[in-house]
């Protein structure tokens, strides 16, 4: 059973507009969430993370929102650029002793974002 | 480049052969992870080390798989008697528990094709 779900396999957005990627999780023990971006034939690249004590984290064009009661998070990219075209993975983990993820991250299946010029 | 380094990047092997992948983590990182990714799926956790100690293994890591990190620096992942179902991208990642957030950074992956 999937503990992290990305229900949209793909998303197409016009350059300059907002991209919103969604992620749902089922495990209430998750308290640390990350977004990764992946180009074909490359490893995932870390984008942004959020811990359960926050409901929003922002880094430049990227903002992650967390709704714990709904077990839902989303990644907003504003403005979207053609170079943002990639597969985006949502990942979740339980907090480790030192804070941050413990190590065993659970990933969704990804959403392929296409940003059209 | 001081990122996570993996080699070989691509490996084609015949079923039944053994293969070994090597990972060099970011130099100051004390945690090292192995994940596997197949087409259309997200990365799946296999195992991780803190320094030289292997702290957790997924049930995905069958007896044919063995990972080592002998001196707490680089790591190897060996797959014995490969099967076609082992064809995947093997991802290594590292992190530092001393850094707030313990964010995990991935290498570029090693593609395995078993024919």
């Amino acid at each position: 059973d999937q503990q992290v779900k990305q229900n949209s396999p793909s998303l197409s957005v016009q350059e300059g507009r907002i991209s919103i990627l969604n992620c749902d999780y089922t495990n209430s023990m998750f308290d640390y969430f990350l977004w990764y971006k992946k180009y074909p034939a490359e490893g995932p690249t870390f984008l942004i993370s959020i811990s359960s004590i926050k409901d929003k984290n922002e880094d430049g064009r990227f903002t992650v929102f967390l709704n714990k009661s709904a077990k839902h998070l989303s990644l907003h990219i504003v403005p979207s650029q053609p170079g943002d075209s990639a597969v985006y993975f949502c990942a979740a983990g339980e907090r480790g002793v030192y804070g941050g993820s413990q190590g065993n991250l659970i990933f969704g299946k990804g959403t392929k974002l296409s940003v059209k010029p | 480049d001081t990122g996570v380094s993996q080699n070989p990047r691509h490996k084609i092997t015949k079923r039944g052969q053994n293969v070994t992948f090597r990972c060099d983590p970011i130099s100051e990182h004390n945690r090292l992870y192995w994940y596997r990714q197949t087409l259309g799926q997200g990365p799946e956790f296999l195992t991780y080390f803190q320094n030289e100690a292997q702290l957790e293994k997924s049930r995905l890591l069958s007896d044919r798989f063995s990972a080592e990190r002998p001196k707490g620096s680089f790591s190897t992942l060996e797959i014995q008697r490969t099967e076609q179902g082992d064809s995947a991208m093997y991802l290594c990642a590292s992190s530092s528990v001393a850094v707030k957030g313990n964010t995990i950074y991935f290498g570029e992956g090693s593609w395995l094709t078993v024919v």
Side-chain angles (χ1 to χ4, degrees):
Chain A
D1 188 30
Q2 275 193 282
Q3 297 184 68
V4 177
K5 298 180 184 178
Q6 294 178 257
N7 292 320
S8 298
S10 63
L11 175 67
S12 184
V13 171
Q14 204 68 32
E15 181 179 6
R17 306 295 290 269
I18 185 171
S19 294
I20 300 176
L21 297 106
N22 294 303
C23 178
D24 297 293
Y25 62 96
T26 57
N27 187 345
S28 57
M29 296 298 291
F30 289 151
D31 58 6
Y32 192 73
F33 306 89
L34 307 92
W35 284 94
Y36 287 85
K37 171 181 176 180
K38 188 178 184 299
Y39 294 116
E42 293 186 9
T45 301
F46 170 73
L47 276 177
I48 192 168
S49 63
I50 189 168
S51 74
S52 59
I53 60 173
K54 295 186 174 182
D55 54 18
K56 177 182 174 181
N57 189 26
E58 191 171 354
D59 184 2
R61 296 186 299 114
F62 302 92
T63 303
V64 56
F65 295 92
L66 175 63
N67 182 333
K68 281 190 67 180
S69 61
K71 292 191 176 68
H72 177 84
L73 63 155
S74 60
L75 175 68
H76 292 208
I77 306 173
V78 184
S80 302
Q81 301 172 353
D84 296 329
S85 297
V87 177
Y88 288 77
F89 290 98
C90 170
E94 297 180 28
R95 183 166 297 278
V97 173
Y98 301 98
S101 66
Q102 187 165 271
N104 181 4
L105 291 178
I106 307 298
F107 283 79
K109 291 189 176 184
T111 296
K112 184 176 182 179
L113 174 65
S114 298
V115 181
K116 301 190 183 305
Chain B
D1 183 32
T2 57
V4 178
S5 175
Q6 293 187 244
N7 66 82
R9 293 292 314 281
H10 299 89
K11 179 75 175 177
I12 300 174
T13 191
K14 290 185 178 179
R15 189 175 54 184
Q17 298 293 304
N18 298 345
V19 296
T20 299
F21 298 110
R22 175 180 169 126
C23 172
D24 289 89
I26 294 170
S27 59
E28 63 269 24
H29 284 184
N30 55 353
R31 281 198 175 175
L32 186 148
Y33 312 82
W34 286 100
Y35 283 76
R36 179 175 71 185
Q37 186 174 17
T38 53
L39 207 59
Q41 302 294 320
E44 295 173 297
F45 171 78
L46 293 178
T47 188
Y48 88 94
F49 295 83
Q50 180 156 317
N51 301 314
E52 64 275 10
Q54 190 172 16
L55 295 187
E56 188 175 349
K57 292 197 289 187
S58 162
R59 63 178 184 274
L60 293 177
L61 210 67
S62 76
D63 291 345
R64 296 184 297 104
F65 288 69
S66 62
E68 293 183 346
R69 194 182 184 198
K71 296 183 180 179
S73 56
F74 73 92
S75 174
T76 57
L77 176 68
E78 181 183 19
I79 308 173
Q80 297 182 324
R81 305 181 303 281
T82 52
E83 301 173 356
Q84 287 189 323
D86 297 332
S87 296
M89 175 183 264
Y90 291 85
L91 291 160
C92 179
S94 69
S95 70
S96 171
V97 295
V99 174
K100 182 181 177 182
N102 189 29
T103 299
I104 295 173
Y105 297 92
F106 285 86
E108 295 196 337
S110 294
W111 278 104
L112 173 64
T113 302
V114 181
V115 297

